[in-house]
């Protein structure tokens, strides 16, 4: 069976998409210490949470394969907690750096 692909022009609907953003500047001026602080937050926060998620996921998969429901359930709780922390950290990071993208 042949699959037909249709491509259509996508037009911006201001009522759906909201107001247009102004032209983005080519350069952003960010103080070095502010940038270093946010990069440290990524390394110490978000990346550590992702590492925690990977470890918990591996333990969960092994426990599930072995039929160890108690460990598997514990890892599901750990995954949920780590993903909540990751989302909180990414939200805070987004809020912190969004001011860098504000322009007139």
């Amino acid at each position: 069976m042949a699959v037909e692909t249709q491509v259509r022009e996508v037009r911006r609907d201001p009522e759906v998409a909201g107001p247009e953003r102004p032209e983005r500047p080519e350069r952003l001026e960010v103080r070095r210490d502010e940038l270093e602080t946010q990069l440290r937050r990524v390394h110490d926060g978000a990346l550590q949470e992702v590492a925690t998620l990977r470890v918990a996921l591996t333990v969960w998969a092994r426990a599930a394969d072995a039929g160890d429901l108690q460990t598997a359930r514990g890892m599901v709780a750990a995954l949920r907690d780590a993903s909540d922390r990751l989302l909180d950290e990414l939200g805070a990071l987004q809020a912190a750096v969004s001011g860098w993208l504000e322009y007139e």
Side-chain angles (χ1 to χ4, degrees):
M1 171 171 35
V3 176
E4 185 177 317
T5 303
Q6 294 181 353
V7 178
R8 63 183 176 87
E9 183 179 344
V10 177
R11 294 202 174 117
R12 188 176 192 293
D13 184 351
E15 291 181 20
V16 174
E20 287 190 35
R21 288 186 161 181
E23 189 72 27
R24 291 180 181 228
E26 288 185 29
R27 293 178 155 205
L28 294 175
E29 292 194 23
V30 178
R31 289 182 24 199
R32 181 183 182 95
D33 61 330
E34 290 176 14
L35 179 59
E36 288 173 347
T37 297
Q38 299 313 321
L39 289 174
R40 223 177 347 270
R41 284 181 70 183
V42 169
H43 179 268
D44 295 343
L47 291 177
Q48 298 304 314
E49 293 302 334
V50 169
T52 300
L53 285 167
R54 283 189 167 181
V55 170
L57 187 56
T58 300
V59 173
W60 169 81
R62 288 180 182 167
D65 288 346
D68 183 353
L69 293 179
Q70 184 176 358
T71 300
R73 286 185 181 125
M75 287 301 100
V76 167
L79 286 163
R80 190 174 296 123
D81 292 344
S83 64
D84 287 346
R85 287 190 306 270
L86 177 60
L87 288 171
D88 290 345
E89 180 61 31
L90 291 174
L93 182 61
Q94 180 183 11
V97 300
S98 67
W100 298 350
L101 303 176
E102 296 295 321
Y103 37 87
E104 298 162 10

